[in-house]
Structures are given as C-alpha cells and as structure tokens.
Amino acid sequence: MDVPFFVWVVTGIGIVGLLAFDFFFHVRKAHTPTLRESAIWSSIYVGIAVLFGLGVLVFGGPTAGTEYFAGYITEKALSVDNLFVFLIIMSSFRVPRADQQKVLLFGIVFSLIARTGFIFLGAALINSFAWVFYIFGLILLLTAGNLLKPGGHDDDTEPAMVRLARRFLPASKHYDGDKLFTIENGKRVLTPMLLVMIAIGGTDILFALDSIPAIFGLTQNVFIVFTATAFSLMGLRQLFFLIDGLLDRLIYLSYGLAVILGFIGVKLILHALHENNLPFINDGEEVPVVEVGTGVSLTVILGVLLVTVLASVYSPKGKAKNAVSGARRHATDYLDLNYETDIVERERIYAKLCAEEADLKRLPEKYKRLIRNETEFLELIGRAHAEHDKALAREPGR
C-alpha cells in the first residue's frame, strides 16, 4: 500500500492534535477522572482507531486493513500489559492520584516518540538486511519465555528503572504539586514527579524493544506499523483509570501475550527462512516453508486474547488475587494524605477497601496463602479503618 506524503502529514497532525486536546482539556488541571469520564473517552479513542482502520480497509484494501487491525489489537494488548508496570512505578513513588494523569500522558508521548524512532530504524534495517527478521523473531521468542516466568507482575518488585532513578537521581521526599523541581533548604532539587517520569520514560524504551518487532511480524508497511502503534497508545491514560481495579484480575494476560509473541516470533522466523540470503543456511537460498497469512494471524491473536481474558475474569484465583492486592493498595492509598486529600475520592477508596474485605472473608482457605505477611496486612487494614473512624468523628454533627 503506497501512502502519499500528504496523508502522512494529515495523520501526524491528527495524532498530535489528539494529544494536545487530551492535555489542555483533561490533564492540565490536576484531577482524578471519574469512571464515567474514563469509560466515555476510552470508547471515543477506540472508536477513532476503528474508524481509521475502516479507512485503511476501504482505501488500502483487505490485506492492509487486516494487517492494521492485527497490529492494533496486538499493540493494545501489549499496552494493557505495560499498565501493570506503570501501576507499580506510580505506587513505588506514591504519585498523588490527581497527578497520575500527567505522568501517564508523559509516558504515552515519550513512548510514541521512542517507538516512532524504532519503527523507522526497523524499517531501514529490514529494507537493507533480510536477516533482521531472524533477530526480531528471536527477540519475541525470548520475550515470550520471560513472560512465562512466575511473578512477572509482582506488586512487591520494583522495576529496574525505579531502582536506578532512586539511586542516581536523589530528590526531595515530598511532591510540590506537579512541579519537576522545587526549593528545599535553599537549594533547587528534583522532585519525585521528575523521577517517576524518568522511570516511566526509560521503561517505555524497553517496551518498544518488544512491541516493534511484534508488529513488524504482522506487517512491513511502515504507515500501518506507525498508525497501529500510535492509535494503540491513544486513550491509554483513560484506560488505566477505567480498568485500574481489574489489572490484578488479569492473571493470565502474560500467558496469553507469551503465546501471541511466540506465535509472531515463529511467523517472523518462517518469513526470514522464506527470504533467506544467509550463506550458512541452505547455501544462501530461500527455504521452502509455509508462511502464515495475516488473516490467520488476526484469528489467532483474537482467539488467544478472548480465552485469556475470560479465563482471568472468571478464575477464582483471579478474584482472590484481585481482592488481596486491591485491599492492600486501597488501604495504603487511604492512609497516605499525600496521595489523595479529596474527601469524595477518599470515600470511594474506602468503599473499595470495604468491598474487597468482604470478598476476602468469602475466600476459600486455599487462597489465603496469597496474603503475604498476613499480620502486617491485617494491621494495615486496621489502621485504615481507625483513620476512617477519626475522619467521621471530625465531621460536623457527629
């Protein structure tokens, strides 16, 4: 599919315009988005991506349209998996709830810039060296193997970028609104807000190393690769707040992504064999192998994701893990006044905590082991209830 230059320009302006709109109308003023707001805007961004895909289907043909949707769905699934790490990073730095939108938008913009660079680099390498498909396939197979390791989204494990940021970029202990620098003891110092942005930006680069080979395994059309990647990132901020409570529930998502990335990795290696020009493989001649079509790829991706999500949502273990980790996080959030001071939002957090406690009481005994450091966990829950009782006692008329 040949794309005229003016289409590139219009598409680029449209994407930048969406990001600018998101900042000036939603993120600029610090606030915690409601569930309704998050749901509406998540739907709008997904709708825009689908309409764009239909445009690719109409003007580019069925092959281009199928490649776009396969790439978009794969990148969207990888983006949801990335939200686990974003959640851990923001929890590690105790980012105030109202300021999390700015951190996420920064992460999206940085990720788009980094991935655009990787896309054009990857396209240049593919055009010059056919053997790059072997490397991309190997990267995806290794990534799939890493996703199968247990504890991939352990809430107690800080990402490497968080540890590096803490070690080499000491900052003030407290936030100063959403400022990146503040004055402390007469000196200009970094704030935790800058550290968390650095940690998320560095993590985004690592994510790009996995996601770009994945989409190049589905299409080598640079326009489709770019737009599918860009639209998969659009609305990620709203999606974070929409499925915040469900992230812990998706316990099998990493396994589903491992299957998808492994499948695309094999697909890439088969394609590399078909285009082979390495002298030590079949004397530099192409190897007659079966290549997987884009339609088959899209079917496999949708099927694996559907099974993964349904298995996670209806899994008793998923419900148990969601209740345990959610109760711990919401109790901590409620106690941390630096995290959230708005009384309405604090009441919402406390209501979630109470609902999760009720779920915990109904858990079968075999799932009690999911509560690590049970004494410490129960003390945390108790402190949250005590603080809530004090808050009620301070209200007029009580």
Side-chain angles (χ1 to χ4, degrees), residues 22-31 101-102 105 237:
D22 209 14
F23 176 76
F24 287 106
F25 289 91
H26 293 119
V27 175
R28 191 174 185 181
K29 182 180 179 181
H31 73 286
Q101 292 198 96
K102 287 182 180 166
L105 186 60
R237 175 186 64 79

Side-chain angles (χ1 to χ4, degrees), residues 128-178:
S128 301
F129 311 103
W131 50 262
V132 169
F133 286 111
Y134 287 113
I135 296 177
F136 282 3
L138 182 60
I139 289 173
L140 294 183
L141 291 176
L142 291 174
T143 303
N146 288 331
L147 285 173
L148 293 176
K149 292 180 180 178
H153 299 306
D154 193 338
D155 290 341
D156 295 337
T157 304
E158 285 191 341
M161 286 297 172
V162 173
R163 298 193 295 272
L164 289 173
R166 290 188 190 279
R167 180 176 179 182
F168 295 106
L169 296 171
S172 62
K173 293 183 178 179
H174 302 288
Y175 287 88
D176 186 2
D178 59 358

Side-chain angles (χ1 to χ4, degrees), residues 269-291:
I269 291 175
L270 290 174
H271 181 72
L273 289 170
H274 183 73
E275 301 287 334
N276 178 63
N277 57 12
L278 294 178
F280 53 86
I281 298 179
N282 199 34
D283 295 325
E285 299 295 328
E286 66 177 58
V287 181
V289 293
V290 176
E291 287 208 79

Side-chain angles (χ1 to χ4, degrees), residues 65-367:
T66 306
E67 288 178 350
Y68 169 83
F69 281 111
Y72 172 75
I73 293 168
T74 300
E75 292 296 308
K76 198 69 172 180
L78 288 169
S79 296
V80 171
D81 192 57
N82 297 163
L83 290 180
F84 281 101
V85 181
F86 289 168
L87 179 62
I88 294 171
I89 290 175
M90 288 193 287
S91 297
S92 299
F93 284 102
R94 304 303 305 150
V95 179
R97 182 77 168 175
D99 291 322
Q100 288 183 2
Q101 292 198 96
K102 287 182 180 166
V103 174
L104 287 168
L105 186 60
F106 167 82
I108 290 168
V109 173
F110 188 90
S111 180
L112 184 56
I113 294 171
R115 294 184 191 204
T116 299
F118 279 113
I119 286 169
F120 286 103
L121 176 61
L125 289 173
I126 287 171
N127 290 332
S128 301
F129 311 103
W131 50 262
V132 169
F133 286 111
Y134 287 113
I135 296 177
F136 282 3
L138 182 60
I139 289 173
L140 294 183
L141 291 176
L142 291 174
T143 303
N146 288 331
L147 285 173
L148 293 176
K149 292 180 180 178
H153 299 306
D154 193 338
D155 290 341
D156 295 337
T157 304
E158 285 191 341
M161 286 297 172
V162 173
R163 298 193 295 272
L164 289 173
R166 290 188 190 279
R167 180 176 179 182
F168 295 106
L169 296 171
S172 62
K173 293 183 178 179
H174 302 288
Y175 287 88
D176 186 2
D178 59 358
K179 294 179 181 178
L180 304 182
F181 297 90
T182 189
I183 304 298
E184 192 173 81
N185 298 324
K187 295 182 180 180
R188 185 178 173 85
V189 295
L190 308 178
T191 68
M193 182 63 73
L194 181 57
L195 292 192
V196 70
M197 287 185 174
I198 291 172
I200 283 184
T203 305
D204 275 330
I205 294 176
L206 298 179
F207 289 157
L209 294 175
D210 298 334
S211 68
I212 298 309
I215 193 168
F216 269 118
L218 297 168
T219 177
Q220 283 82 59
N221 186 296
V222 179
F223 182 76
I224 293 177
V225 170
F226 171 74
T227 52
T229 301
F231 282 114
S232 73
L233 294 172
M234 297 289 105
L236 194 60
R237 175 186 64 79
Q238 294 87 346
L239 187 63
F240 176 84
F241 290 96
L242 180 63
I243 67 171
D244 186 6
L246 290 176
L247 280 175
D248 294 308
R249 189 80 164 264
L250 300 176
I251 60 172
Y252 298 124
L253 180 61
S254 60
Y255 297 108
L257 289 175
V259 172
I260 291 171
L261 293 182
F263 168 78
I264 298 175
V266 171
K267 184 177 184 293
L268 273 171
I269 291 175
L270 290 174
H271 181 72
L273 289 170
H274 183 73
E275 301 287 334
N276 178 63
N277 57 12
L278 294 178
F280 53 86
I281 298 179
N282 199 34
D283 295 325
E285 299 295 328
E286 66 177 58
V287 181
V289 293
V290 176
E291 287 208 79
V292 181
T294 307
V296 174
S297 299
L298 180 58
T299 302
V300 170
I301 292 166
L302 286 173
V304 170
L305 285 177
L306 180 62
V307 171
T308 298
V309 171
L310 290 177
S312 297
V313 169
Y314 292 103
S315 163
K317 184 180 179 181
K319 295 177 182 178
K321 184 178 179 183
N322 187 58
V324 172
S325 58
R328 179 184 284 110
R329 188 167 68 250
H330 289 127
T332 303
D333 292 345
Y334 186 83
L335 291 168
D336 189 351
L337 291 177
N338 288 323
Y339 176 80
E340 182 61 67
T341 55
D342 181 74
I343 187 62
V344 175
E345 179 63 17
R346 281 172 61 78
E347 284 298 322
R348 188 189 69 82
I349 292 172
Y350 185 76
K352 281 191 171 184
L353 170 61
C354 292
E356 286 151 353
E357 277 189 279
D359 290 338
L360 286 174
K361 291 176 182 177
R362 293 191 292 268
L363 285 181
E365 284 299 319
K366 65 179 180 178
Y367 293 124

